[in-house]
Amino acid sequence: MSATSTQELNIKTTDEDFLPLEGTDYVEFYVGNAKQAAMFYKAAFGFESVAYAGPETGQKDKVSYVIRQHKLTFVLTTSLRPDTLISEHVNKHGDGVKVLALRTKDAKDAWEQTTKRGGKSYLAPVTLSDEDGEVVMSGIHTYGETVHLFIERKNYRGAFMPGFRKWNSVFKPEGTGLLYVDHCVGNVGWNQMNPWVKYYEDVMGFKNILSFDDKDISTEYSALMSKVMSNGNGYVKFPINEPAEGKKKSQVEEYLDFYNGEGVQHIAIATHDIISTVTELKKRGVEFLPIPASYYEDLLDRVGHIDEDLKPLKELGILVDRDDEGYLLQIFSRPLQDRPTLFFEFIQRKGAKSFGKGNFKALFEALEREQDARGNL
Ligand code: FE2
């Protein structure tokens, strides 16, 4: 089924964009042990070491490791003390995403434009400088305890930003072909999807480019609703999910229970070669949702001709969907921490700009089997 059959994608650039964004600058995770998390993401995903901040750099109560692959940058942060906001965050939510940082040419203007439209300030504009130049940053709150930071780094040449030093590590694993953040999905509470859609429209000037109701996204047992928000140039896309009534518990509800509130459900990472990326990730221990062999029996009837051989797709559990503009290949990891909260999607787009609506059923049935095994369905 084509994901664009019921609604046209209306991504378009507009010269009236009051919040011009150049994409995702970085994603910051608050975790229980940043040193080990950085090691995990380097070993399993193939990130490079970029920068470090901690007591040795004058930051007394927390440590942060910055890792990167192509344009994808993660920051892993842990508190060194029990009575900090970071410790509270980890205690309440487990390891999770705190910051979705967005690249802008003018962080002061981004803050002024968004806060005057009703955005709640998280960080008033601040200029950080060192011998490599300056970074201006500001920020606003979004769903749950998640925040958006606006990062202006056009006048900075250092490894990451002032306060960090270059991290030279002897451990240099090969990359796995990860490129950049394709989209980043938030799970919000019952009846909260539309208020957050309005927030992204009013405060950040985003547009609702696709909507899925509970009939699009339901199995025999559970359901959810989703709306995809995009900025003007389409570089930043935030689908927002809320649970919907079904015979059993929605996967979004399970997330909300274990995360103790709203937060980032999954980060989709782009690759140019999903077969080699997933082959490598699996070899390094990354676990994916198993897809039944029956999914592949009539796949080509559903999506038409694709360039890839069916065999590796089936062996790896990669899903395929087509829309009016082309097709996409995607796969979903299991949660990356003990709580059934954050997971990753890996996606290769071959023309398609949609999100794999034709795979929702197979995907959610796979998720339900996992939910059931945890006793949470
Ligand atoms: Fe996704």
Side-chain angles (χ1 to χ4, degrees):
M1 193 195 307
S2 158
T4 49
S5 57
T6 51
Q7 189 177 344
E8 287 292 300
L9 286 166
N10 62 351
I11 298 174
K12 48 177 173 275
T13 48
T14 156
D15 42 16
E16 295 157 43
D17 195 349
F18 64 79
L19 184 63
L21 299 171
E22 300 173 332
T24 302
D25 193 273
Y26 65 88
V27 180
E28 181 169 11
F29 302 74
Y30 281 178
V31 298
N33 188 335
K35 188 172 196 165
Q36 288 190 2
M39 176 80 171
F40 169 81
Y41 282 110
K42 282 179 63 181
F45 283 38
F47 283 89
E48 291 167 34
S49 305
V50 173
Y52 167 83
E56 301 86 344
T57 67
Q59 185 174 261
K60 292 294 176 210
D61 58 357
K62 62 175 183 175
V63 294
S64 293
Y65 291 84
V66 184
I67 55 177
R68 182 174 297 145
Q69 191 166 171
H70 196 67
K71 290 180 182 169
L72 179 66
T73 305
F74 285 178
V75 180
L76 301 148
T77 296
T78 292
S79 175
L80 296 174
R81 305 190 186 285
D83 51 351
T84 65
L85 292 174
I86 298 168
S87 287
E88 271 174 39
H89 197 279
V90 173
N91 189 31
K92 185 173 175 191
H93 304 296
D95 289 5
V97 173
K98 174 64 180 180
V99 180
L100 294 171
L102 305 169
R103 180 87 55 93
T104 171
K105 282 201 170 63
D106 190 338
K108 184 166 174 283
D109 186 59
W111 184 83
E112 284 169 355
Q113 295 291 340
T114 50
T115 53
K116 86 176 179 200
R117 287 173 168 84
K120 185 180 159 208
S121 177
Y122 172 71
L123 176 69
V126 54
T127 302
L128 310 171
S129 51
D130 66 11
E131 65 276 12
D132 289 314
E134 61 178 44
V135 169
V136 187
M137 60 198 287
S138 64
I140 57 171
H141 290 266
T142 179
Y143 49 78
E145 292 194 77
T146 318
V147 301
H148 291 310
L149 289 183
F150 302 114
I151 309 290
E152 173 190 330
R153 54 169 74 255
K154 60 181 189 289
N155 298 317
Y156 195 67
R157 301 168 304 277
F160 183 58
M161 59 171 68
F164 286 75
R165 72 179 186 200
K166 196 169 185 317
W167 176 21
N168 292 309
S169 168
V170 292
F171 179 47
K172 296 181 168 67
E174 279 285 301
T176 58
L178 306 184
L179 299 172
Y180 51 83
V181 174
D182 182 278
H183 60 273
C184 198
V185 181
N187 277 343
V188 300
W190 292 93
N191 305 311
Q192 292 304 302
M193 179 179 69
N194 285 325
W196 283 110
V197 164
K198 191 165 165 24
Y199 177 90
Y200 278 102
E201 285 171 347
D202 294 349
V203 172
M204 295 179 71
F206 281 37
K207 298 265 188 314
N208 174 212
I209 57 163
L210 279 173
S211 301
F212 307 103
D213 63 20
D214 47 349
K215 283 179 273 309
D216 294 318
I217 317 183
S218 71
T219 64
E220 190 185 346
Y221 297 119
S222 69
L224 64 85
M225 295 189 282
S226 188
K227 286 189 176 174
V228 182
M229 305 308 294
S230 172
N231 81 319
N233 60 19
Y235 290 175
V236 180
K237 291 188 285 292
F238 294 142
I240 309 285
N241 296 336
E242 76 169 40
E245 288 294 348
K247 276 191 210 161
K248 295 193 177 180
K249 194 180 207 172
S250 169
Q251 51 163 298
V252 178
E253 241 184 311
E254 189 199 32
Y255 175 99
L256 296 169
D257 285 353
F258 280 86
Y259 199 71
N260 273 306
E262 303 179 337
V264 173
Q265 180 210 39
H266 76 266
I267 298 167
I269 302 172
T271 166
H272 287 323
D273 183 350
I274 196 164
I275 292 174
S276 75
T277 291
V278 174
T279 300
E280 197 53 45
L281 291 171
K282 278 201 164 174
K283 222 186 276 175
R284 299 179 192 198
V286 179
E287 296 177 330
F288 295 90
L289 288 182
I291 300 299
S294 58
Y295 171 87
Y296 296 90
E297 278 163 18
D298 54 353
L299 176 66
L300 296 180
D301 300 332
R302 293 199 303 275
V303 303
H305 172 79
I306 55 172
D307 304 331
E308 295 73 16
D309 289 335
L310 208 51
K311 194 163 169 276
L313 299 180
K314 189 174 168 179
E315 280 167 6
L316 295 166
I318 293 168
L319 306 170
V320 189
D321 193 32
R322 185 177 287 280
D323 66 21
D324 301 340
E325 295 171 271
Y327 67 99
L328 61 83
L329 305 113
Q330 63 187 165
I331 190 168
F332 297 84
S333 79
R334 286 195 162 127
L336 270 284
Q337 56 293 311
D338 299 306
R339 300 191 199 192
T341 51
L342 179 76
F343 60 88
F344 288 88
E345 172 183 350
F346 302 91
I347 182 165
Q348 181 180 4
R349 294 184 179 280
K350 302 188 93 168
K353 294 200 183 79
S354 53
F355 295 84
K357 181 180 168 184
N359 292 326
F360 287 171
K361 196 163 189 298
L363 173 63
F364 296 136
E365 283 169 354
L367 273 166
E368 278 171 14
R369 286 190 288 275
E370 307 265 309
Q371 225 178 308
D372 195 27
R374 291 188 286 262
N376 298 328
L377 184 62

